[in-house]
């Protein structure tokens, strides 16, 4: 298969050179990893579904004025994005205690937080994405205080919007991870929402049953992983028409 030049391969996605300067093609794989690569597996059809879910959510966020890297979906597994310089932070927004927060403070999962909490981790597989503070971020030059103010304001706005959007389809947005990147338009630097928003990067629990509808089903061997991803897409009204198993592979882009 003739392919474009590969720029980067991550755990769940591959980035290829885009058709025009300043663009990239983001390809969504079915591969899943957890616990910093210690657990590996495949979630059949995940790439197709995450491509759709991320497209949908980035478009809705664009509608309310959040600048994102998303340009358009190209085919079942690929989307065209703006090339950004990734800020090496994982921005975690939490509404309910779960995952590493529950562990860190020995708190019960499911406890609603009195206010949303933003945490920062340094993106480094070798270091296991350590939790950091704004002091580290500014001291080590990963972002300025102004950048952080903008990132935090955007993250809280995204949280409010997505929390409402998911609640409307019977899902509680427990927590999620965002990544941001920089672009330069002439001499003006702008910060854009980058990466993806999907059940790989969000915790989503069914409002009525508290059932987990996200990657925790894979992390914790709960079964029904594919079905959970499909159900999120179905509730969003964006299940691929032909079903997740009908994957003809990427079309060539014009
Ligand atoms: N998350 C992510 N990528 C990471 C770490 C976390 O997408 O490398 C997401 C995760 O899916 C969850 C949120 O960020 O929705 C908070 O994750 P947490 O810190 O609880 O870590 P985990 O329990 O996933 O190790």
């Amino acid at each position: 298969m003739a392919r474009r030049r590969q720029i980067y391969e991550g755990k769940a996605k591959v980035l290829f050179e885009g058709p025009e300067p300043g663009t990239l093609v983001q390809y969504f794989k079915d591969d899943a990893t957890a616990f910093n690569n210690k657990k590996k597996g495949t979630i059949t059809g995940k790439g197709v579904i995450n491509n759709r879910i991320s497209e949908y959510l980035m478009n809705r966020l664009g509608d309310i004025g959040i600048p994102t890297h998303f340009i358009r979906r190209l085919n079942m597994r690929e989307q065209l994005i703006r090339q950004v310089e990734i800020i090496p932070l994982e921005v975690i927004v939490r509404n309910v205690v779960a995952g590493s927060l529950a562990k860190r403070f020995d708190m019960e999962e499911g406890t609603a937080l009195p206010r949303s909490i933003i945490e920062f981790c340094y993106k480094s597989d070798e270091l296991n994405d350590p939790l950091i503070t704004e002091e580290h971020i500014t001291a080590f030059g990963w972002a300025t205080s102004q950048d952080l103010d903008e990132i935090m304001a955007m993250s809280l706005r995204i949280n409010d919007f997505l929390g409402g959007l998911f609640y409307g389809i019977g899902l509680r947005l427990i927590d999620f991870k965002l990544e941001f990147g920089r672009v330069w338009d002439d001499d003006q630097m702008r910060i854009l929402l980058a990466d993806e928003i999907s059940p790989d990067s969000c915790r989503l629990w069914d409002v009525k049953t508290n059932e987990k509808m996200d990657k925790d089903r894979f992390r914790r061997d709960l079964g029904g992983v594919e079905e959970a991803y499909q159900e999120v897409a179905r509730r969003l009204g964006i299940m691929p028409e032909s079903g997740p198993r009908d994957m003809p592979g990427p079309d060539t882009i014009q």
Side-chain angles (χ1 to χ4, degrees):
M1 189 175 12
R3 297 276 3 188
R4 296 162 287 258
R5 194 162 69 87
Q6 186 173 309
I7 305 283
Y8 169 83
E9 175 152 17
K11 288 169 254 176
K13 297 187 292 292
V14 188
L15 294 177
F16 296 99
E17 202 168 51
E20 295 134 37
T23 65
L24 295 177
V25 173
Q26 179 163 251
Y27 176 95
F28 289 75
K29 300 190 278 187
D30 283 350
D31 297 350
T33 62
F35 314 118
N36 199 23
N37 260 329
K38 285 196 256 313
K39 182 181 171 90
K40 287 188 188 165
T42 303
I43 303 172
T44 309
K46 171 172 83 80
V48 174
I49 290 177
N50 282 359
N51 186 21
R52 291 268 180 162
I53 293 178
S54 206
E55 169 197 24
Y56 180 79
L57 297 176
M58 291 275 181
N59 275 334
R60 295 296 75 74
L61 289 167
D63 291 344
I64 62 155
I66 302 285
T68 82
H69 73 162
F70 183 83
I71 302 174
R72 64 190 158 91
R73 189 168 60 84
L74 298 169
N75 54 54
M76 297 277 273
R77 286 180 181 271
E78 294 179 331
Q79 49 183 239
L80 186 66
I81 57 171
R82 282 195 68 173
Q83 182 163 30
V84 302
E85 180 192 290
I86 285 285
I87 299 171
L89 303 177
E90 297 200 336
V91 180
I92 298 193
V93 185
R94 300 180 181 276
N95 301 305
V96 174
V97 174
S100 68
L101 181 71
K103 241 193 198 144
R104 204 182 315 140
F105 297 111
D106 192 21
M107 287 173 82
E108 197 175 339
E109 281 207 316
T111 312
L113 292 163
R115 46 167 279 192
S116 303
I117 294 177
I118 298 185
E119 293 174 347
F120 298 103
C121 294
Y122 178 55
K123 251 172 84 74
S124 163
D125 285 342
E126 300 84 72
L127 301 176
N128 216 355
D129 297 342
L131 187 68
I132 50 172
T133 70
E134 290 184 51
E135 293 283 294
H136 300 109
I137 298 170
T138 51
F140 296 138
W142 295 321
T144 65
S145 320
Q146 291 94 307
D147 293 342
L148 278 178
D149 285 347
E150 204 176 325
I151 286 171
M152 285 193 279
M154 259 199 258
S155 300
L156 289 176
R157 195 147 173 251
I158 293 168
N159 183 43
D160 283 345
F161 181 77
L162 291 186
L165 185 150
F166 280 119
Y167 193 74
I169 56 165
L171 294 171
R172 280 171 86 197
L173 180 59
I174 305 297
D175 58 30
F176 59 100
K177 186 260 304 184
L178 299 173
E179 293 185 28
F180 293 89
R182 295 191 176 87
V183 289
W184 282 265
D185 290 327
D186 300 319
D187 264 352
Q188 186 67 31
M189 190 276 283
R190 290 201 305 139
I191 294 177
L192 307 184
L193 177 64
D195 193 49
E196 70 174 290
I197 308 179
S198 73
D200 271 8
S201 60
C202 300
R203 282 197 172 93
L204 299 165
W205 296 1
D206 185 88
V207 166
K208 289 206 183 103
T209 63
N210 271 337
E211 203 182 349
K212 298 183 191 335
M213 307 286 284
D214 54 58
K215 202 168 126 181
D216 272 349
R217 300 207 72 83
F218 168 79
R219 293 189 190 100
R220 303 178 188 190
D221 295 320
L222 298 176
V225 188
E226 281 87 356
E227 291 77 6
Y229 280 68
Q230 285 167 29
E231 177 63 11
V232 174
R234 194 193 62 76
R235 290 196 197 182
L236 286 168
I238 52 168
M239 189 67 184
E241 302 78 35
S242 44
R245 281 183 182 77
D246 180 11
M247 292 174 291
D251 302 324
T252 30
I253 55 168
Q254 305 308 313

